Amino acid sequence: MLSLSFHLTFAPERRYLAALLEYAALGKSGSMREMADDTGIPMGESTGKLPAILRYAQGMGLIEVDGNSIKRPLITDFGRVVFEEDPLLGEGLTQWLVHFNMCRGDIGAIAWHSVFAQSMLGSSFSKLQLEEYLTGVFGGKDRSGPLLVTYSDDAALARAGVLKFEDVMILRAKAPLIRSYAVGYSAFLLTLMDAYFPSETQVTTTDFNDASSWFDVCFWTDAEREMALTMMEETGNISIDRQMRPWIIEKRKPAAEVWPTTWADLA
C-alpha cells in the first residue's frame, strides 16, 4: 500500500499519467532521469513529479514497476485497455475505476483506503473534519495532502464526481449505477476476486466485501449493491446465486478477457 507521503504533495495529473502509460505500453525502461526525459514528466535533481506519478499509476492499477535504479513500468490488463481506449483518463468510468484501485487495501494509498473504505465521515463533511479524522488515525498534520485536489481539479479526476464541493462542505457521491458501466464494474470485481480469492471461483458478497471493501468504497446501500450485482450479472461475466443469503458471486470469465470489452458500451 502507498504511504501517506507517496504523492510528495503532487496531484495525479492525467497528462503525465498518459505519458507514463505510453512509455509502459511501448515496453520502455530506464533510469528516473531517462524516463523523465522520454515522458516529459518533470524530475528535479533530487525529487520531482515523476516518482509521484509512478506511484499514482501503481496505486491506480495501471502499471506495476520492475527494477530499482533502472525502472521498467509493466502495463496491467486494465492499464492496457485504458491506454487503448481512454489514454488521457477523461471518461467518468475510467476515473471511477482508478479511484476504486486507489482505495484498495493492497495496492492503493493508505489515506484513500482510510477515507473511502473505512471512515465514518458520512455523506458530507468539511475539510476540517477530514483533517481531524486523518490526524486522529495517523497523527501528524495535513494528512489529506492532494486528496481533495485530486477530485476537484479537471486536470486530475474531477470529471468522475467522486466528491462534490459546496461552500465549505464536501459531498461524497455513490458510484454510478449506469448500465454502460456494468462491464467495467464486472471486470473490476473479477480482478478483486483474483487478488483476494485467487483459488476460488465463488465467494459470498459478505466475504468479498470484508476482504476488498469495494461495496463500501462505492458507498452503496444494500439495495444498490444488489442492483449493481444484477447489472453485472447481465453482462454474462459473473453469475449470482440468490438462493443463499448472503448472495454468492461466481466467476464466469477471467478478468483479462473482460477488460478489453469495458468501453464497448460507451462508444
Side-chain angles (χ1 to χ4, degrees):
M1 188 180 290
L2 299 174
S3 71
L4 284 171
S5 58
F6 82 91
H7 45 69
L8 304 173
T9 73
F10 298 118
E13 295 177 70
R14 292 186 287 113
R15 59 178 175 148
Y16 292 142
L17 289 167
L20 182 59
L21 262 183
E22 181 178 17
Y23 186 92
L26 294 174
K28 295 183 177 182
S29 61
S31 67
M32 294 293 278
R33 169 54 57 196
E34 291 167 338
M35 193 182 302
D37 290 343
D38 205 331
T39 61
I41 303 172
M43 180 71 193
E45 289 298 323
S46 59
T47 186
K49 291 186 177 181
L50 179 56
I53 295 299
L54 266 172
R55 293 182 187 121
Y56 273 118
Q58 284 180 274
M60 291 176 176
L62 298 168
I63 64 167
E64 297 173 356
V65 178
D66 185 33
N68 293 311
S69 58
I70 301 299
K71 302 285 188 184
R72 185 183 178 208
L74 306 172
I75 199 163
T76 63
D77 292 332
F78 171 53
R80 174 71 61 181
V81 75
V82 170
F83 172 69
E84 292 174 351
E85 301 290 345
D86 185 22
L88 285 172
L89 289 81
E91 295 280 357
L93 174 59
T94 308
Q95 295 191 8
W96 273 102
L97 291 169
V98 298
H99 166 71
F100 293 154
N101 274 323
M102 283 292 290
C103 299
R104 283 171 56 171
D106 51 355
I107 68 169
I110 193 168
W112 269 251
H113 182 69
S114 182
V115 169
F116 293 101
Q118 297 182 318
S119 84
M120 302 299 289
L121 284 167
S123 59
S124 65
F125 47 88
S126 65
K127 181 176 181 181
L128 178 59
Q129 288 172 320
L130 174 64
E131 292 290 357
E132 288 176 343
Y133 165 72
L134 288 172
T135 299
V137 174
F138 300 111
K141 60 181 180 179
D142 191 26
R143 290 307 197 181
S144 66
L147 188 150
L148 294 180
V149 173
T150 295
Y151 300 104
S152 63
D153 188 348
D154 186 67
L157 304 180
R159 295 182 186 181
V162 172
L163 297 177
K164 300 182 187 300
F165 300 83
E166 295 185 1
D167 297 323
V168 299
M169 298 305 293
I170 302 157
L171 311 181
R172 180 175 172 182
K174 298 172 182 287
L177 291 172
I178 303 173
R179 291 198 177 278
S180 60
Y181 284 19
V183 174
Y185 285 176
S186 67
F188 186 74
L189 183 150
L190 290 165
T191 299
L192 292 179
M193 287 186 70
D194 289 343
Y196 292 103
F197 303 93
S199 61
E200 305 293 333
T201 59
Q202 295 182 331
V203 62
T204 67
T205 54
T206 300
D207 288 346
F208 173 80
N209 193 57
D210 286 348
S212 70
S213 302
W214 185 42
F215 300 145
D216 297 325
V217 172
C218 291
F219 213 44
W220 289 329
T221 63
D222 289 347
E224 289 165 338
R225 181 196 68 207
E226 292 181 359
M227 187 185 306
L229 288 169
T230 297
M231 287 170 43
M232 286 182 255
E233 183 182 37
E234 290 171 354
T235 68
N237 299 324
I238 65 169
S239 61
I240 305 294
D241 182 351
R242 297 172 176 78
Q243 302 302 312
M244 303 289 290
R245 282 287 181 174
W247 288 359
I248 297 173
I249 305 167
E250 181 177 4
K251 296 180 182 179
R252 296 292 300 276
K253 296 179 183 178
E257 182 180 319
V258 178
W259 277 123
T261 67
T262 297
W263 276 262
D265 290 340
L266 295 178

